[in-house]
Amino acid sequence: DAGVIQSPRHEVTEMGQEVTLRCKPISGHNSLFWYRQTMMRGLELLIYFNNNVPIDDSGMPEDRFSAKMPNASFSTLKIQPSEPRDSAVYFCASSFVRTGNTGELFFGEGSRLTVL
Amino acid sequence: AQSVTQLDSQVPVFEEAPVELRCNYSSSVSVYLFWYVQYPNQGLQLLLKYLSGSTLVKGINGFEAEFNKSQTSFHLRKPSVHISDTAEYFCAVTMDSSYKLIFGSGTRLLVRP
């Protein structure tokens, strides 16, 4: 079975440019998470979707960040304009969340973003 | 609020030696506990989880962890490590029926020949 698929794996861009990261969750999962990983802050939850609806975006750093999930098989995380401090590895994870959730997340391999 | 503390940022160990990676959590309610492993340039994958029942949980690759409610700990152990166990290990906690997984800062396990 295919796991969570993220693209691009690596992105190098210049400050001010728009960046779009993409994610295809595991088929049948009803929840999708975007995490950011940095040395300084570790793993941070940016946003959580359930059944394609954003439930919790309290972790989104600021208005420059936006995320969408137009359907159950695709999500994007956009940064516009990008800044050097956005450099990080961005992970997408999916899960099947229900009452009595076990919390097991399935992670993609991540998108490493470098903003010069 | 929940939090997870992994006191050791790096644990060096020789191959075939035993290892323990420490994890402590704080929560005023019942929790589910997890250990994830991250190999270089890869995403995280689940090693094991504690939901309820037996406090000793066995996972993949020979790892196990013990839930200790009185000490609010969930330490990860392996009796004999391999070079291939070199990776970053993350402890995580979530409340019952919550989607929000709180991760610790990670412990880098470095296995030397």
Side-chain angles (χ1 to χ4, degrees):
Chain A
D1 289 340
V4 175
I5 299 171
Q6 291 186 246
S7 65
R9 289 295 312 279
H10 302 275
E11 175 89 9
V12 180
T13 190
E14 293 187 345
M15 183 173 63
Q17 296 299 305
E18 178 180 294
V19 174
T20 299
L21 307 178
R22 298 172 177 80
C23 175
K24 177 179 169 56
I26 292 173
S27 176
H29 283 183
N30 64 357
S31 296
L32 185 139
F33 305 77
W34 281 100
Y35 280 87
R36 179 172 67 176
Q37 185 179 39
T38 60
M39 290 291 291
M40 291 298 295
R41 301 173 69 92
L43 273 161
E44 303 172 276
L45 177 63
L46 300 178
I47 189 167
Y48 160 59
F49 291 88
N50 184 258
N51 291 323
N52 312 336
V53 175
I55 303 299
D56 181 357
D57 65 356
S58 60
M60 295 287 263
E62 48 197 272
D63 291 347
R64 298 185 296 106
F65 285 70
S66 62
K68 294 182 179 179
M69 192 165 186
N71 57 62
S73 59
F74 184 66
S75 176
T76 59
L77 178 68
K78 187 175 292 187
I79 308 172
Q80 165 63 18
S82 58
E83 296 182 3
R85 61 192 168 120
D86 301 331
S87 297
V89 181
Y90 292 82
F91 287 102
C92 177
S94 71
S95 179
F96 185 72
V97 176
R98 57 187 182 277
T99 301
N101 176 51
T102 65
E104 180 174 356
L105 301 183
F106 294 81
F107 283 79
E109 294 190 319
S111 294
R112 182 176 295 275
L113 173 64
T114 302
V115 183
L116 304 175
Chain B
Q2 296 170 299
S3 67
V4 179
T5 302
Q6 293 182 247
L7 289 172
D8 305 308
S9 59
Q10 183 164 300
V11 173
V13 63
F14 287 108
E15 193 175 18
E16 297 184 7
V19 70
E20 178 179 85
L21 306 183
R22 296 181 293 168
C23 172
N24 288 88
Y25 69 93
S26 65
S27 175
S28 58
V29 298
S30 296
V31 296
Y32 294 155
L33 294 155
F34 306 81
W35 277 98
Y36 282 80
V37 60
Q38 183 180 27
Y39 297 105
N41 299 314
Q42 294 186 26
L44 282 71
Q45 64 184 80
L46 184 68
L47 262 183
L48 49 80
K49 60 186 176 186
Y50 171 79
L51 307 180
S52 64
S54 173
T55 57
L56 183 63
V57 180
K58 293 190 183 298
I60 62 172
N61 300 339
F63 283 93
E64 64 180 31
E66 186 156 19
F67 170 58
N68 188 319
K69 188 173 182 179
S70 62
Q71 297 187 3
T72 60
S73 68
F74 190 55
H75 300 332
L76 181 70
R77 302 185 183 102
K78 185 169 183 177
S80 176
V81 295
H82 301 284
I83 297 287
S84 59
D85 292 324
T86 294
E88 186 104 20
Y89 292 80
F90 293 90
C91 183
V93 62
T94 186
M95 287 190 299
D96 186 10
S97 298
S98 170
Y99 62 86
K100 206 158 192 173
L101 204 58
I102 308 298
F103 286 92
S105 55
T107 297
R108 182 172 298 277
L109 176 63
L110 180 58
V111 182
R112 298 167 173 166

